[in-house]
Amino acid sequence: MSNQGLGSYFKFNSVNWDDIWNATGETVWMTVISMILVAIFGIILGLILFETKNKGGFWSHLINIVVSFLVNIFRSIPFIILIVLLLPFTKAIVHTIIGPEAALPSLIISATPFYARMIEADLREVDSGVIEAVRSMGANRWDVIWKVLLPESTPALIADGTVTAISLISYTAMAGAIGSGGLGQLAYIEGFESNNNTVTLVATIIILLFVLIIQFLGDKWAKRCDKRNL
Amino acid sequence: MIMIEFKNVSKIFKLKDKNLKAVQNVNLKINNGEIYGIIGYSGAGKSTLVRMLNGLETPTTGQILIGKHNISDLSTSQLRIQRKKIGMIFQHFNLLWSRTVLKNVALPLEIAGVSKEKRLQKARKLLSLVGLENRGNDYPSELSGGQKQRVGIARALANDPKILISDEATSALDPETTDDILDLLTDINKRLGITIILITHEMHAVRKVASKVAVMKAGRIVEKGSLIDIFTHPKNEVTKQFVNKEANGDEKELQSTLDNVIHSDPKNAIIRLIFNGSQSGDPVVSSISKKYQIQISIIQGNVKQTRNGAIGSLIIQLIGNHDEQEKVIEYLQKLQIETEVIYHE
């Protein structure tokens, strides 16, 4: 690496802004698509974990053990290793191992268990008295899920979704190291391998802005849905 | 007509290290349109008992009949239909904070599959029944405790139930609001003819609205009967505690007053008399002082209203010689007035 001073951060004329916009677009795309799918799968898995826990019955117990085990496994594998581990799987379902599409399977498989566990905890926070009240009205399991569990945990689901989305941005950057595209890859290829510190700084600032915006919107949204302290 | 019948019902919870007998051999008949109070300290098994009515708990042994149906025989889907005929209100209201008041009240109808227009119309009607017609668009967190319980009552009535279970519904409310809610329950019972089961640890609530009472202790019903009978002739120790607490207010304060009286005047007996509406304290007291060589000092007296008339309690000291005191006590016991000798030399 050549000897560069602090001034190397501010050579903005060395930045190819088209590349930056493209990379920004890829990062946004990867984050948004994976977050939508993580939200869907996360809520399904979270509900399964919640509904099968301590409910008695052989099948509930079995499902809980299996899902719990898988969630724990995939939550424990470091993301950078998971991408590499899933390469054949990725190839099989998206037919490529480079570009933003190729990042999706590992992003989703990594973030879903993380979100599912948080959702399980959020559902447990729902007032059991309210669930009992609704059951006493003759509600079935689906009524309880749609009319009580999900609406009554919405602010927590949004807050935890925000945390998950921010982790996803960070994962998309890491996926850049093996060719997913996006700001992470730009910072790695342009910034690190070509010694362009300004690109790294710009990529950092854009990612930072995303994180701040997501956090801000997430907080606002969660607060809007929360009718507990009016 | 008998609406609900518990036949030798027991419920045993299997815990890790022991079996918890929450309800033991309960037999109880509740008539149509009655307000039946079930009183007991916490852990007495009252809530478990009524939760078996709508199948939230299943009895370990015994039968529960509602009308002609045996609850244990119902399939899951039949049970859900049966539950719609039983409304329930709770100590902590158990409203959904995520829904407006109107939509909370409409929830049971939503679950029953009633169309949106119809259920909101019904919900508005119920809200005006409980005096909250203007609060439909507010969220529960904007209401006071008493208002929340009114919403709870409106919600419980949404499916036109035949039975309303009140599970400690006034226990989280201040005394004034408690009375408002109890009045509302009485009113609903009269207007709609709904059978109400009132579970509570407060004799006050039972006294205000119930016509019959069952007293529970350690999973068993230790005493049951009409409110006036239970109040004027309590037999079981627990019943006496509840009745005395309600009749005399602060037990500790009374006890220290009595201690002072006994200390300064150890020769004279102190007795407690409990009258029901048809009897009256004054003639009895004045007749005692005419018939016997006894003077009477009143230590405490009060009158409480029940649905079926007044109940009076009087604590008096008998001043006179020992033999005369004995005669007075015998006389009172003959009069069929509940007489408790608090102190006698």
Side-chain angles (χ1 to χ4, degrees):
Chain A
M1 204 186 290
S2 62
N3 186 14
Q4 293 180 309
L6 286 176
S8 65
Y9 282 121
F10 305 106
K11 291 176 183 161
F12 290 106
N13 56 1
S14 71
V15 175
N16 182 337
W17 292 102
D18 283 346
D19 286 354
I20 297 273
W21 294 134
N22 282 337
T24 304
E26 285 169 347
T27 293
V28 171
W29 189 86
M30 282 188 282
T31 310
V32 170
I33 302 290
S34 58
M35 187 58 213
I36 291 170
L37 292 166
V38 166
I40 295 168
F41 295 139
I43 288 173
I44 293 171
L45 279 186
L47 281 169
I48 292 175
L49 286 171
F50 177 81
E51 286 286 323
T52 55
K53 180 111 180 180
N54 301 329
K55 286 282 153 71
F58 173 76
W59 289 110
S60 292
H61 195 59
L62 184 72
I63 292 169
N64 192 272
I65 289 174
V66 172
V67 175
S68 230
F69 178 74
L70 290 175
V71 161
N72 289 345
I73 294 284
F74 284 102
R75 210 167 51 141
S76 310
I77 303 173
F79 182 68
I80 195 81
I81 295 175
L82 186 72
I83 308 177
V84 181
L85 188 71
L86 289 179
L87 282 178
F89 175 74
T90 304
K91 176 105 183 161
I93 60 170
V94 292
H95 307 298
T96 173
I97 55 162
I98 53 164
E101 293 90 347
L104 291 181
S106 16
L107 286 173
I108 293 161
I109 289 173
S110 173
T112 300
F114 178 70
Y115 192 30
R117 274 289 182 217
M118 289 198 282
I119 289 172
E120 187 196 1
D122 295 340
L123 296 175
R124 202 158 290 142
E125 292 294 308
V126 173
D127 187 348
S128 57
V130 174
I131 297 173
E132 187 188 38
V134 175
R135 283 183 57 213
S136 79
M137 295 170 196
N140 61 27
R141 181 177 277 210
W142 293 106
D143 290 326
V144 173
I145 289 174
W146 287 113
K147 298 180 199 303
V148 186
L149 287 175
L150 294 177
E152 297 274 302
S153 62
T154 302
L157 298 186
I158 294 169
D160 289 339
T162 307
V163 174
T164 308
I166 289 169
S167 320
L168 272 174
I169 293 182
S170 149
Y171 288 168
T172 64
M174 246 190 279
I178 64 152
S180 70
L183 290 163
Q185 180 167 356
L186 193 71
Y188 182 68
I189 306 284
E190 279 293 304
F192 175 64
E193 294 194 329
S194 314
N195 281 327
N196 191 337
N197 281 343
T198 311
V199 168
T200 312
L201 180 70
V202 170
T204 308
I205 289 170
I206 293 173
I207 285 179
L208 214 59
L209 278 175
F210 280 158
V211 170
L212 291 175
I213 289 168
I214 288 175
Q215 188 68 61
F216 176 77
L217 293 177
D219 288 349
K220 278 255 167 196
W221 190 21
K223 203 169 168 221
R224 224 182 123 96
C225 295
D226 197 342
K227 311 290 186 192
R228 276 172 289 197
N229 298 299
L230 292 173
Chain B
M1 197 184 93
I2 294 168
M3 182 77 171
I4 298 163
E5 188 171 1
F6 290 88
K7 280 186 178 170
N8 214 15
V9 171
S10 297
K11 173 73 184 178
I12 297 166
F13 289 108
K14 288 198 165 68
L15 302 181
K16 268 181 191 154
D17 46 346
K18 57 167 183 182
N19 285 348
L20 180 73
K21 291 175 186 164
V23 172
Q24 294 185 67
N25 305 98
V26 165
N27 286 292
L28 192 64
K29 287 176 188 170
I30 298 174
N31 290 325
N32 203 357
E34 206 162 52
I35 301 187
Y36 207 115
I38 299 178
I39 190 167
Y41 293 114
S42 55
K46 330 178 277 293
S47 291
T48 310
L49 184 69
V50 294
R51 271 169 176 66
M52 290 191 275
L53 259 187
N54 54 14
L56 290 173
E57 300 284 358
T58 47
T60 311
T61 56
Q63 283 188 325
I64 297 160
L65 303 174
I66 299 181
K68 292 174 212 140
H69 300 288
N70 183 349
I71 292 296
S72 325
D73 291 346
L74 299 179
S75 68
T76 316
S77 57
Q78 285 172 318
L79 182 62
R80 279 203 295 270
I81 293 166
Q82 181 60 45
R83 279 177 183 165
K84 286 169 190 162
K85 297 178 192 159
I86 304 174
M88 196 164 178
I89 54 175
F90 305 86
Q91 179 172 10
H92 299 295
F93 325 123
N94 294 350
L95 302 174
L96 282 79
W97 61 256
S98 58
R99 288 176 167 241
T100 61
V101 164
L102 189 69
K103 287 187 174 160
N104 261 290
V105 177
L107 180 59
L109 297 167
E110 196 178 320
I111 289 166
V114 176
S115 76
K116 189 170 184 181
E117 199 186 326
K118 274 191 181 159
R119 66 182 187 241
L120 292 183
Q121 196 186 348
K122 180 81 182 282
R124 278 189 206 100
K125 226 165 102 186
L126 288 164
L127 278 180
S128 68
L129 178 76
V130 299
L132 288 174
E133 53 271 46
N134 301 322
R135 304 303 298 270
N137 293 324
D138 292 336
Y139 284 89
S141 60
E142 295 169 282
L143 305 181
S144 68
Q147 289 170 328
K148 283 181 194 163
Q149 196 56 286
R150 283 168 186 274
V151 177
I153 291 170
R155 182 178 71 172
L157 297 176
N159 274 317
D160 299 317
K162 302 223 162 52
I163 301 165
L164 179 66
I165 299 172
S166 162
D167 186 4
E168 299 277 8
T170 57
S171 303
L173 303 173
D174 61 64
E176 212 167 296
T177 317
T178 295
D179 284 354
D180 288 346
I181 294 294
L182 292 173
D183 289 343
L184 178 62
L185 288 177
T186 311
D187 184 47
I188 284 166
N189 169 256
K190 276 185 194 152
R191 282 166 63 173
L192 309 177
I194 296 178
T195 308
I196 298 180
I197 302 175
L198 189 84
I199 300 178
T200 183
H201 65 275
E202 299 165 317
M203 199 57 177
H204 170 82
V206 169
R207 195 252 301 158
K208 286 258 319 188
V209 301
S211 45
K212 286 193 186 157
V213 200
V215 183
M216 283 191 79
K217 187 192 175 188
R220 293 176 192 277
I221 292 186
V222 292
E223 200 165 349
K224 63 188 170 194
S226 82
L227 180 81
I228 299 283
D229 278 352
I230 295 281
F231 243 90
T232 50
H233 305 289
K235 292 181 187 72
N236 190 280
E237 208 38 55
V238 188
T239 318
K240 283 181 183 165
Q241 279 174 25
F242 277 118
V243 169
N244 289 343
K245 204 186 244 174
E246 171 62 6
N248 304 311
D250 192 341
E251 279 285 280
K252 274 185 192 158
E253 204 174 306
L254 175 66
Q255 197 54 51
S256 73
T257 310
L258 291 176
D259 287 347
N260 280 337
V261 174
I262 294 165
H263 185 73
S264 62
D265 197 359
K267 284 205 173 327
N268 296 318
I270 296 171
I271 57 177
R272 184 200 321 258
L273 305 173
I274 296 174
F275 310 92
N276 68 30
S278 55
Q279 302 160 319
S280 170
D282 288 335
V284 175
V285 173
S286 54
S287 73
I288 293 170
S289 48
K290 278 184 193 150
K291 274 192 171 165
Y292 302 94
Q293 292 293 319
I294 285 283
Q295 288 198 310
I296 287 175
S297 157
I298 294 175
I299 296 170
Q300 195 208 45
N302 62 39
V303 178
K304 302 269 174 173
Q305 286 303 319
T306 77
R307 255 192 121 183
N308 305 336
I311 290 171
S313 151
L314 200 57
I315 297 178
I316 55 177
Q317 188 183 29
L318 305 177
I319 303 167
N321 80 42
H322 192 267
D323 288 350
E324 287 292 300
Q325 287 181 22
E326 294 264 304
K327 282 180 195 163
V328 170
I329 291 168
E330 262 174 48
Y331 168 71
L332 285 169
Q333 277 161 350
K334 252 186 246 162
L335 277 182
Q336 295 264 307
I337 290 171
E338 181 66 19
T339 307
E340 185 193 347
V341 180
I342 295 174
Y343 170 78
H344 188 38
E345 200 183 26

